Amino acid sequence: MSDVAERTKYKAQVYDVLLNAFFRLRDFDSAVLGESRNEVGWDIAEAFVAAAVSGPTYKSRSQDRWFEAASLLRSMADRVEEDGLASLEWGYHGNLDARHAWRPDIRSPAGLAELDQRTDAVIEGMMRPLRALTSAERRAIVCMSFVRMALAHVGDLIAQHPEEAQALKAYAQGMLKSSSTMIGCQVACVKTD
């Protein structure tokens, strides 16, 4: 893996996250919408492609930028027709393991801070489709859903690594106590104001 460029590793990680999101959205939303997984899958794919191209062309009036985006789409389309993206080094056909992709070192303060920023972005992203920004209570529900699922995953880790059960439990409880104290201070500040 040492000879693989960092940008290639990064693309592998982004690809892995989005592909996983595609399958999860398809399975969940097809049931909610009462539509076939195939039809919902195509809707998600269309939205993903449009969103991906909207990123680099966002609010751009540059014909050159539009051409670059269209060229990227054409290039990918050609590869799909040729081999179904089997030649994509950082795709699921390739030998590149996305687990070795670029990521912040969460053992360092800077890396942990970056992880928190990324988690915050995910929470904000979840609020928008749920129209939860209009209500503080709904925003709190979305945030606490992340807490519940995070604790469920910690529970899974304890089951998978019983030899580390006490350390994992202590870490989770410490974080919850710290967060509870912070919220209590914020509430107290509001009352005094």
Side-chain angles (χ1 to χ4, degrees):
M1 292 295 299
S2 59
D3 59 340
V4 178
E6 289 300 311
R7 286 185 64 183
T8 300
K9 295 179 184 179
Y10 175 73
K11 283 190 284 189
Q13 187 181 40
V14 174
Y15 173 88
D16 187 59
V17 168
L18 293 178
L19 187 62
N20 183 56
F22 170 86
F23 289 121
R24 288 180 178 271
L25 280 172
R26 186 191 65 177
D27 292 345
F28 180 75
D29 291 340
S30 61
V32 173
L33 295 171
E35 300 285 348
S36 71
R37 295 197 312 164
N38 184 59
E39 288 300 317
V40 172
W42 282 114
D43 288 343
I44 295 169
E46 183 178 4
F48 271 22
V49 171
V53 174
S54 295
T57 61
Y58 188 67
K59 294 187 177 179
S60 173
R61 296 183 180 276
S62 168
Q63 292 279 347
D64 290 339
R65 178 60 63 88
W66 297 349
F67 177 78
E68 290 172 1
S71 296
L72 174 62
L73 288 177
R74 279 190 286 269
S75 174
M76 283 293 176
D78 290 343
R79 295 177 78 166
V80 170
E81 289 185 336
E82 288 170 7
D83 59 17
L85 294 182
S87 60
L88 196 64
E89 178 189 9
W90 39 269
Y92 75 91
H93 288 291
N95 295 321
L96 185 64
D97 189 341
R99 288 177 298 175
H100 294 281
W102 170 90
R103 61 189 62 191
D105 181 3
I106 59 174
R107 295 166 297 184
S108 69
L112 186 58
E114 183 176 343
L115 176 64
D116 287 345
Q117 286 182 327
R118 291 171 181 271
T119 302
D120 183 53
V122 172
I123 294 174
E124 285 287 341
M126 283 295 296
M127 289 180 184
R128 297 184 190 283
L130 296 175
R131 298 181 182 176
L133 291 177
T134 58
S135 165
E137 180 185 11
R138 290 180 184 174
R139 293 176 70 180
I141 290 171
V142 173
C143 292
M144 295 311 295
S145 176
F146 275 80
V147 174
R148 289 194 303 274
M149 293 302 98
L151 291 175
H153 280 283
V154 171
D156 289 342
L157 286 172
I158 290 174
Q160 295 165 17
H161 303 279
E163 72 284 359
E164 298 182 52
Q166 290 302 321
L168 291 169
K169 176 184 175 183
Y171 177 76
Q173 288 179 331
M175 291 297 295
L176 288 172
K177 183 177 180 180
S178 174
S179 298
S180 178
T181 301
M182 178 188 69
I183 291 174
C185 290
Q186 289 174 329
V187 171
C189 289
V190 170
K191 287 182 178 179
T192 56
D193 292 344

